[in-house]
Amino acid sequence: MRVVDLIEKKREKQELTKEEISFLLSEYLKGNVPDYQMSSFLMATYFNDMTADELLEFTTIMRDSGDTIKFDEIDKFLVDKHSTGGVGDKVTVVLAPVLAALGMGTAKLSGKGLGHTGGTIDKFESIDGFKFSNTRDELVSVANKTGIGLMGYSDKIVPLDKKLYSLRDVTGTVPSIPLIASSIMSKKLAIQSDVIILDVKVGDGAFMKDIEHAKELAKRMIEIGKDAGRKVKVVLSNMDEPLGYSIGNANEITEAIETLKGNGPEDLKEIVYAIASLALKAKGEIKELSEGKSKIEEVINNGSALKKLSEFISESGGNGNLVNDYNLFPQPKSMTEVFSEKDGYVSKIKAEEIGKAAMNIGAGRATKEDIIDHAVGIKILKKVGDKVNKGEKIAEIYYNDDKNVNNSRSMILDAYVIQSDKVDKQKAILEIIE
């Protein structure tokens, strides 16, 4: 079997056999297929797609390229929620304790952020002393005590994905829907769970810029899950403005805590409620998603979800009392205000630009080597649909180093699109696909 023949076959839109896909990927992982040949194959895939059989085999081999993790010792209905990433996305911080309070468990791998703001790990690491589980046994121990099991990605989990992603990144093939689907689902299939719920962000601050491509990605991931014998649900959520009001790390944890106290922003609540309701339905506790709201509100109103977060922080080495004392978070030295330069209504907030403005002051990473400043961040004060007067405050920048503050201010002003005509508020949930 020759690699060049497989490249030509994909170029000519012919379906590859399981044996051919297995040969290509296993030989590439061993280092026997050069990057230039795999690059050609990825580009042919970018233009010619994959069949359902090809995609399942491709994803399965990626999953089996490393360790798989089972959680037989956790006696809970396990939910693996994944987000494709977005600006101000602190859903996991709210969702995991809500699910725990509802009697379910979270067992998922979380990542650090690159670009924009931090990932879930970065957000929690803004808590002094907090350490994520490094091993499966540590995760099981914390999950059994709190219902929340989060662990950082390991090089031993789907190593083939890491190798392929690095190549996709430099060959212009990152946006390929089958390659995105296999990348996400190979990691989801490597971890035991009872249901996989995918939050696919759509819009300016997301990887998927339009609803049609997002739907296609959702369809392919559900298809992979079904063929692999796993339940997969998808929420398409709006990222044409940041989620919530806080963008950063410590400030996003604070906003998440406020949400667990019943004071959260409506768009964040909408997404958390939708995902938690999908989990309840998958478990069989409700028949219609609308039935989930009262159950979720009960665990927020009685404080049990907040207590779960406090317990998780304590079990992970942090001070669980910070849910009541925000001074325990790292504090920024300075704050500057951003004022609107025109009258009108906010018609759009370019989420990616806000994310870059936060990264500029240290809240995110431009390179893997960059160190995140957990104390800094941005708070936006106006959302899409809000009326704004010239000279009215629209954002606050919290920082420790002032060298990029003016640049961040300019980026925030550029991100706010203000028009004279009244604008409707945006929906956080665009569609739910089961």
Side-chain angles (χ1 to χ4, degrees):
M1 198 178 293
R2 297 192 314 158
V3 174
V4 66
D5 295 329
L6 307 187
I7 295 169
E8 289 174 355
K9 197 171 179 181
K10 175 52 66 177
R11 184 194 68 196
E12 299 304 316
K13 303 182 181 180
Q14 297 173 25
E15 185 173 23
L16 272 65
T17 65
K18 288 184 177 182
E19 292 75 20
E20 288 170 332
I21 293 171
S22 177
F23 170 78
L24 175 69
L25 292 181
S26 60
E27 290 300 303
Y28 179 65
L29 188 60
K30 292 175 190 172
N32 296 332
V33 176
D35 280 350
Y36 63 81
Q37 282 192 309
M38 184 55 78
S39 297
S40 294
F41 180 81
L42 294 174
M43 188 58 77
T45 299
Y46 176 86
F47 284 113
N48 295 330
D49 206 344
M50 287 187 190
T51 66
D53 287 343
E54 282 179 317
L55 187 52
L56 177 63
E57 185 65 17
F58 198 91
T59 306
T60 302
I61 292 168
M62 283 177 62
R63 177 199 67 190
D64 294 341
S65 68
D67 295 345
T68 56
I69 299 180
K70 293 190 180 298
F71 301 114
D72 296 333
E73 308 94 318
I74 302 177
D75 187 23
K76 295 181 188 297
F77 184 86
L78 293 177
V79 180
D80 187 349
K81 170 260 174 191
H82 173 84
S83 169
T84 55
V87 180
D89 183 4
K90 70 278 295 178
V91 170
T92 294
V93 187
V94 184
L95 178 69
V98 165
L99 293 176
L102 288 167
M104 292 180 274
T106 304
K108 73 185 292 290
L109 301 185
S110 292
K112 292 198 171 189
L114 181 60
H116 294 356
T117 52
T120 300
I121 285 182
D122 298 303
K123 298 183 204 311
F124 274 110
E125 286 183 347
S126 64
I127 299 169
D128 185 46
F130 188 99
K131 296 291 181 188
F132 264 89
S133 300
N134 288 317
T135 67
R136 190 196 73 89
D137 289 345
E138 286 177 12
L139 184 146
V140 167
S141 174
V142 175
N144 273 328
K145 290 174 184 173
T146 68
I148 303 171
L150 301 177
M151 187 171 84
Y153 276 107
S154 159
D155 289 342
K156 294 180 180 179
I157 304 290
V158 197
L160 184 55
D161 175 64
K162 188 173 183 180
K163 192 173 181 183
L164 280 176
Y165 193 90
S166 297
L167 195 58
R168 287 166 58 204
D169 200 30
V170 295
T171 57
T173 54
V174 168
S176 166
I177 284 179
L179 296 178
I180 296 169
S182 62
S183 175
I184 293 172
M185 289 302 296
S186 61
K187 288 174 282 199
K188 297 296 103 184
L189 296 179
I191 310 298
Q192 178 190 341
S193 64
D194 293 295
V195 64
I196 298 165
I197 303 178
L198 305 170
D199 178 9
V200 177
K201 304 292 186 187
V202 186
D204 177 81
F207 196 71
M208 308 306 293
K209 302 298 183 187
D210 64 82
I211 190 80
E212 292 311 315
H213 282 94
K215 280 184 181 179
E216 177 62 20
L217 175 61
K219 187 186 88 173
R220 301 302 290 273
M221 292 192 292
I222 289 171
E223 189 176 72
I224 292 169
K226 184 179 178 184
D227 290 343
R230 300 284 288 275
K231 284 183 188 175
V232 180
K233 317 288 182 185
V234 179
V235 172
L236 302 182
S237 63
N238 181 19
M239 195 38 70
D240 263 340
E241 65 177 344
L243 185 60
Y245 292 92
S246 295
I247 300 96
N249 292 284
N251 63 343
E252 287 196 38
I253 293 277
T254 302
E255 186 168 71
I257 292 169
E258 283 298 308
T259 304
L260 290 170
K261 292 178 179 178
N263 306 320
E266 288 303 315
D267 53 354
L268 176 58
K269 285 170 59 179
E270 191 179 335
I271 293 172
V272 169
Y273 281 37
I275 296 174
S277 295
L278 280 169
L280 285 166
K281 186 177 177 185
K283 189 184 177 188
E285 287 200 18
I286 60 174
K287 291 185 177 180
E288 301 295 331
L289 292 180
S290 57
E291 298 169 35
K293 185 178 180 183
S294 61
K295 290 179 177 289
I296 297 161
E297 288 187 337
E298 182 181 352
V299 299
I300 288 176
N301 293 337
N302 67 20
S304 58
L306 183 67
K307 186 180 178 184
K308 287 290 184 183
L309 179 61
S310 178
E311 290 172 355
F312 173 65
I313 291 168
S314 295
E315 287 293 331
S316 304
N319 185 340
N321 192 48
L322 62 71
V323 300
N324 298 310
D325 184 1
Y326 300 150
N327 288 319
L328 293 171
F329 283 108
Q331 302 296 316
K333 294 175 185 173
S334 305
M335 187 271 282
T336 190
E337 300 170 322
V338 183
F339 301 96
S340 177
E341 295 180 341
K342 58 180 78 172
D343 295 322
Y345 295 88
V346 180
S347 63
K348 183 176 182 178
I349 305 172
K350 300 172 190 172
E352 187 170 351
E353 197 74 359
I354 296 285
K356 288 178 180 176
M359 184 177 70
N360 244 9
I361 55 169
R365 294 182 184 85
T367 70
K368 288 181 182 177
E369 291 72 35
D370 287 350
I371 297 172
I372 279 185
D373 186 340
H374 294 99
V376 305
I378 292 168
K379 183 175 184 180
I380 59 172
L381 303 175
K382 295 290 183 178
K383 301 277 275 185
V384 171
D386 288 344
K387 189 177 189 311
V388 178
N389 297 314
K390 185 176 180 181
E392 186 176 359
K393 185 163 66 170
I394 57 172
E396 296 170 345
I397 304 172
Y398 296 86
Y399 62 96
N400 285 320
D401 186 339
D402 64 3
K403 69 177 181 180
N404 289 321
V405 170
N406 286 333
N407 191 19
S408 286
R409 182 191 288 110
S410 297
M411 294 171 84
I412 292 168
L413 286 170
D414 180 63
Y416 268 85
V417 180
I418 297 171
Q419 66 180 49
S420 56
D421 295 335
K422 195 170 183 180
V423 180
D424 291 334
K425 291 275 187 185
Q426 295 205 336
K427 288 182 178 178
I429 301 289
L430 303 175
E431 194 167 329
I432 292 173
I433 306 172
E434 296 186 69

